[in-house]
Amino acid sequence: MTNKEMADILFPNIDKTPEDYEKMYPERNIKEGAIVSRYAPSPTGFVHMGALFASFIERKMARQTDGIFYLRIEDTDGKRSIENGVSMIIQDLSNYGITFDEGMVSETEWKGQYGPYIQSARREIYHTYIKRLVEEGLAYPCFCKEEELEEIRKKQEKNHERIGYYGKYAFYREFSKEEAISRIKKGDPYVIRLKSPGNFEKKIHFKDLIKGELELPENDLDIVILKGDGLPTYHFAHAVDDHLMRTTHVIRGDEWLSSVPIHIQLFSILGFKVPKYAHISPLMKEEDGKRRKLSKRKDPEMAVSFYHEQGIPIQAILLYLITVANSNFEAWYEQNKNASIDDFSLDFKKISSSGSLFDMEKLLNISKNYLSRLKASEVYDLALSYASQYDLKLCELLKKYKEYAIAIFNIEREQKKPRKDLSKMSEVKEQIWYMFDELFESEPLQYEWGIIDSKDEILKISSYYFENYYNPSDTKEEWFSKLKDLSEYFGYAKEVKMYKENPELYKGHVGDVSMVLRVLLTTKSMTPDLYDIMNLLGKERMESRMERFQKNV
Ligand code: GLU
């Protein structure tokens, strides 16, 4: 029996050839240097920070070279698929602005000329290529059962040999074709293996765009390329797909680095051009002075939902991801404050080859800076969208008092040196609750008095102030000069300096007096600008707060 005869018996329904597919999926018409990259997850529905980081880089590289970024779903391992897994991935990524030029758009549909973009729908394509390998004597059926493979493994362990199906252990390599076919006709289960031409003693050399020049032993394992269920293994499927989808750059996590010898071998056996590789190291976390990989199991910050729940703005996360990817971004952004991430050119060479540190504190800092540069109405929109999901009471207030809320967000904002005290939307309520009577009146209050803490003195100072000084149309200067007069009237120094020079002459200073008003009105000893707060609260609210204090404490 010839190889061709065996191939025809194994794949009776395959009537296309690899050449047909070459024609169906021609080289892309893209400009020189354009990168075609892909994100190729299993449909597990789960996107973690590491995957978001990788897909961010994959997309950015395609974008900045006018290339193509596509989504391919790798579902040849049915066990890893979950219901709606594809849509969940698409949704999670699009929340972070990661969108695709081509690929799956739902569980079953795709856009683009290089589809299907889901492996389970590409069976016939894989079979066509495997049929060709069988014809060429480069692949063969193998009937090894689990128990036999286990036997081999034990033997290899005992002899201190490498584990795997290779060389003298690859029993079905030389099996008679006639016998193989008769077993297949009888219904014996089988897989198809690659007849590896590799030699483990020899090395392959390749250049990884992130890790540099690498040397790894050649693959000599007769790996399974077609499983018993008729679907290919990941290794085989991805080689065919990356070729036919005309991927130029395979950018992915470095857990795949050790498989590169298998992949390069498959590309070359199949007659495909080997793509460029860029393997991204895992994100690291610093803990007790040591670095370790961020873990899906142990670290809540690994889940993308974590950031959503905290209300860290997406733009801030993207700014952080690009900072993690290329540390020179920060200095560039400092010089180009009004530029966008899209204007920065990411460089493979500057991506850490050993693993970048993912640091929450730094992320929050970036977020703080980002938020400080937004307009009040933009912060309002972010806060509202967050509250609509996580704090309905606050959401109601933000909607009811929209203009008032925007004015609150604008305290010390739209100005040259804006205040930087907000890093995530989950902090909004604790920063502004006291501006709303609905919250102020329903809370048990904890006043953070300063050195003036006697009820009598507090009431004396504040009622005198509202009766004799407060005028809503005062400028900030007028307002402050009245606070000074008020201080003097009650025996406090008008200036901190005066007090410091002669402390025995005064009960305290103007800062202590303004603290009385601040705490009375907000309960807080630290707030944004008191003048702005008072203007927004208005006389009526302020007086009722004074009354409440008088009655309740
Ligand atoms: N499906 C593989 C994974 O789940 C993709 C590996 C690759 O990008 O080649 O990680």
Side-chain angles (χ1 to χ4, degrees), residues 38-43 58 72-75 80 119 234 238 242 250-253 255-256 263 277 279:
R38 79 299 196 274
Y39 178 51
S42 296
E58 290 152 7
R72 181 173 76 225
I73 296 297
E74 306 209 323
D75 63 342
R80 302 190 60 202
Q119 291 180 330
Y234 154 71
H238 106 284
D242 278 331
V250 167
I251 308 170
R252 60 183 172 192
E255 68 273 22
W256 296 106
H263 298 170
Y277 286 107
H279 286 93

Side-chain angles (χ1 to χ4, degrees), residues 320-339:
Y320 183 56
L321 290 184
I322 198 162
T323 310
V324 172
N326 272 189
S327 54
N328 56 322
F329 172 78
E330 244 182 327
W332 176 89
Y333 195 49
E334 198 51 43
Q335 300 296 313
N336 300 276
K337 284 220 162 73
N338 295 318

